[in-house]
Amino acid sequence: MFTGIVEEIGRVERIKHGQHSAVLTIHADTVLEGTKIGDSIAVNGICLTVTELFSHGFSADVMHETLNRSSLAGLTMGTPVNLERAMAADGRFGGHIVAGHVDGVGKVIRVRRDDTAIWYTIQAKAELMRYIVEKGSITIDGISLTVAEVGESEFSISAIPHTVSQTILKNRREGDLVNLETDIIGKYVEKLVCPKAEQQPKNTITMDFLSKYGF
């Protein structure tokens, strides 16, 4: 589990492409502290397992499903990426519950400055928008952010200068694709409150049943 508080900006050093997968090698420093092979590191919000460690970096496998659902397929050598180690049991919970399981991608359609804040408006598909609520939490490229406005097919966040400067938000421009993970709590609530039709108990009450028992 992660919190969406980015620890450092890494850099893609090498990409080895397979038929439907890839191996990423990321230059990093801070996130290597205490990290072992098999540990999890979020790369632009995607939970990846460390398969190799180097003095100034690590490698991780990226599967077909991950490439299909995220913007990792568009990474090139030298691309900066947000990095966060999995939360330690005694760590401070500074953001919100982030699983590192990206739901899909959104597109930056507007960037504007409002005094010291910078607003980013993101366009997303309907299946993601249903879980995005005003003042709720959203993870963009692994960054825990608060939703400021919600429209039919887009939402906006307002970021403080510190967040922008310490993450790859500072590099995002109109037209860029970003990884989105919606609040997992909303998905669990929907599952419990609105189960699929096949999961609902069948209605066995008929007019014949009511008549038989005097109704």
Side-chain angles (χ1 to χ4, degrees), residues 29-64:
D29 291 302
T30 302
V31 297
L32 299 182
E33 297 174 9
T35 296
K36 307 180 299 297
I37 290 176
D39 286 350
S40 297
I41 294 179
V43 179
N44 282 359
I46 301 166
C47 178
L48 298 179
T49 300
V50 175
T51 56
E52 289 187 75
L53 280 170
F54 313 101
S55 58
H56 291 286
F58 67 95
S59 290
D61 294 322
V62 184
M63 297 295 97
H64 193 191

Side-chain angles (χ1 to χ4, degrees), residues 10-210:
R11 186 181 70 253
V12 178
E13 280 199 335
R14 187 167 62 251
I15 306 174
K16 181 181 179 182
H17 292 282
Q19 185 175 0
H20 298 294
S21 62
V23 177
L24 291 180
T25 299
I26 309 291
H27 180 278
D29 291 302
T30 302
V31 297
L32 299 182
E33 297 174 9
T35 296
K36 307 180 299 297
I37 290 176
D39 286 350
S40 297
I41 294 179
V43 179
N44 282 359
I46 301 166
C47 178
L48 298 179
T49 300
V50 175
T51 56
E52 289 187 75
L53 280 170
F54 313 101
S55 58
H56 291 286
F58 67 95
S59 290
D61 294 322
V62 184
M63 297 295 97
H64 193 191
E65 167 73 0
T66 304
L67 292 175
N68 283 341
R69 280 185 177 261
S70 72
S71 65
L72 285 191
L75 293 181
T76 58
M77 291 178 60
T79 301
V81 289
N82 290 327
L83 301 176
E84 180 193 355
R85 288 168 292 186
M87 181 183 177
D90 61 348
R92 180 173 293 175
F93 210 122
H96 72 282
I97 298 174
V98 177
H101 304 153
V102 169
D103 294 303
V105 298
K107 183 169 74 171
V108 180
I109 59 173
R110 188 161 56 254
V111 180
R112 66 180 177 88
R113 184 175 290 276
D114 178 16
D115 195 10
T116 59
I118 301 178
W119 285 67
Y120 295 83
T121 300
I122 314 292
Q123 186 179 65
K125 293 182 179 179
E127 54 262 36
L128 273 68
M129 290 299 303
R130 68 188 299 168
Y131 302 114
I132 299 174
V133 298
E134 189 172 319
K135 302 308 177 185
S137 296
I138 184 73
T139 308
I140 301 176
D141 281 338
I143 310 163
S144 174
L145 295 161
T146 300
V147 177
E149 293 179 351
V150 180
E152 288 188 8
S153 60
E154 77 284 330
F155 67 94
S156 298
I157 62 95
S158 178
I160 62 173
H162 176 78
T163 300
V164 175
S165 66
Q166 297 301 308
T167 69
I168 63 171
L169 266 182
K170 62 176 175 284
N171 302 322
R172 291 307 184 199
R173 301 291 182 266
E174 293 179 7
D176 286 352
L177 297 180
V178 293
N179 293 322
L180 300 178
E181 181 186 332
T182 58
D183 193 341
I184 193 170
I185 294 176
K187 288 178 276 191
Y188 277 118
V189 170
E190 181 186 61
K191 179 78 171 181
L192 293 170
V193 175
C194 305
K196 293 180 180 179
E198 61 267 22
Q199 297 173 322
Q200 295 178 351
K202 293 183 178 179
N203 185 6
T204 58
I205 299 177
T206 64
M207 291 303 295
D208 289 339
F209 176 90
L210 294 174

